Amino acid sequence: EDQVTQSPEALRLQEGESSSLNCSYTVSGLRGLFWYRQDPGKGPEFLFTLYSAGEEKEKERLKATLTKKESFLHITAPKPEDSATYLCAVQALSGGSNYKLTFGKGTLLTVNP
Amino acid sequence: SQTIHQWPATLVQPVGSPLSLECTVEGTSNPNLYWYRQAAGRGLQLLFYSVGIGQISSEVPQNLSASRPQDRQFILSSKKLLLSDSGFYLCASITSGSSYEQYFGPGTRLTVT
C-alpha cells in the first residue's frame, strides 16, 4: 500500500526565515510526486510534479527536490502570503491509467510578519 | 486549461436526508474524474474515480455512490446521510496525455446535523 507522511504537521516562521517541509513516501514504483498548496476553504492548487530522484523544480520562493524516499519543499525568505497548508501526494506506476494520488495529511505553514 | 465547477458551495443537511453533489469540467475532453473527502486531521481521502462515462470505481466502502452520466459531469450521491459524512468534498480532473497532475475544483462544504 502506498503511504505518504508529511512533517512537521505545523510550522510557524517569521517573515524571511527560510525552512523546509518534508514528505516521506513508500510506493511500488513512482510515476510522480506532486506538491499542492491549499488555502482555507479552497481546493488544492497544483505547484510541482517531480518524476525522478535528483530532480528539482522552482517557483518564486519555493523549491521542490526529490530523492528515492522523500521530497523536500524549501521555502526561501517566506512572506505572510505563503501561509497555507502544503500537501504532498504520490502516483504509482502500478495504477496504470487511473492516475490515482495518495496524499499525506499536509503541513500547515504560518508565516508571521 | 481546464476549469472545474462544483455546486453547491456549502450545504447543511439533516441526518437521513439524501445528497447530490455535482461536478462539471470545462476545457478538456474524456478526463479522469475523482471525488475526494477532506476531514479535519485526516487529509484527502479518495472516494471514487472514473475513467469514462458510466465507469465508476469505489475506493472506500460507505453509504455514498457516484455516477458519471456525461463525459464531463461527475455526481456524488447518498440516499441517507450519516453524521460521519460531514466534510469538505473535492472534485478533481486529469487529462490523459498530460503530465498527470490532478486539478481540483473549489469544493463543497457539507455539514450533516
Side-chain angles (χ1 to χ4, degrees):
Chain A
E1 182 180 341
D2 304 334
Q3 290 189 330
V4 178
T5 302
Q6 292 188 245
S7 62
E9 292 184 9
L11 180 63
R12 188 177 295 270
L13 301 173
Q14 289 298 122
E15 185 173 0
E17 179 186 3
S18 302
S19 188
S20 296
L21 313 182
N22 177 263
C23 171
S24 298
Y25 66 90
T26 55
V27 63
S28 54
L30 181 71
R31 170 181 276 136
L33 184 140
F34 302 80
W35 282 99
Y36 289 85
R37 169 195 170 122
Q38 186 175 25
D39 293 308
K42 297 189 176 181
E45 174 189 349
F46 170 73
L47 292 174
F48 305 108
T49 309
L50 302 167
Y51 297 103
S52 57
E55 188 174 2
E56 299 182 352
K57 288 193 176 174
E58 289 188 62
K59 180 180 181 179
E60 295 181 355
R61 295 176 292 282
L62 300 177
K63 178 177 161 181
T65 62
L66 182 64
T67 72
K68 289 187 177 181
K69 293 184 177 181
E70 57 191 350
S71 176
F72 292 93
L73 185 65
H74 306 277
I75 303 176
T76 302
K79 297 182 178 181
E81 52 262 42
D82 295 321
S83 298
T85 296
Y86 290 86
L87 301 170
C88 172
V90 296
Q91 194 176 74
L93 286 167
S94 60
S97 61
N98 65 43
Y99 305 121
K100 293 191 298 181
L101 293 178
T102 300
F103 279 86
K105 293 183 178 181
T107 294
L108 174 61
L109 174 66
T110 304
V111 182
N112 295 316
Chain B
S1 63
Q2 57 185 300
T3 303
I4 302 172
H5 301 281
Q6 288 187 243
W7 61 88
T10 60
L11 192 60
V12 180
Q13 292 284 92
V15 169
S17 63
L19 173 73
S20 181
L21 303 182
E22 188 166 344
C23 168
T24 59
V25 183
E26 293 179 353
T28 186
S29 60
N30 194 32
N32 281 14
L33 297 174
Y34 307 83
W35 277 114
Y36 290 88
R37 178 169 58 205
Q38 188 173 35
R42 296 194 60 185
L44 271 76
Q45 179 186 33
L46 179 63
L47 302 175
F48 301 93
Y49 67 92
S50 171
V51 299
I53 296 174
Q55 301 179 61
I56 308 295
S57 297
S58 174
E59 289 291 296
V60 182
Q62 59 211 333
N63 70 321
L64 299 172
S65 63
S67 62
R68 186 170 176 176
Q70 300 180 43
D71 181 44
R72 291 171 291 173
Q73 183 184 30
F74 204 21
I75 296 173
L76 183 69
S77 303
S78 174
K79 292 182 179 179
K80 289 185 178 181
L81 285 169
L82 306 173
L83 284 174
S84 58
D85 291 323
S86 293
F88 192 46
Y89 287 81
L90 289 157
C91 178
S93 169
I94 187 171
T95 303
S96 298
S98 67
S99 45
Y100 308 117
E101 61 264 18
Q102 291 184 15
Y103 289 91
F104 286 82
T108 294
R109 172 71 60 188
L110 172 66
T111 303
V112 182
T113 59

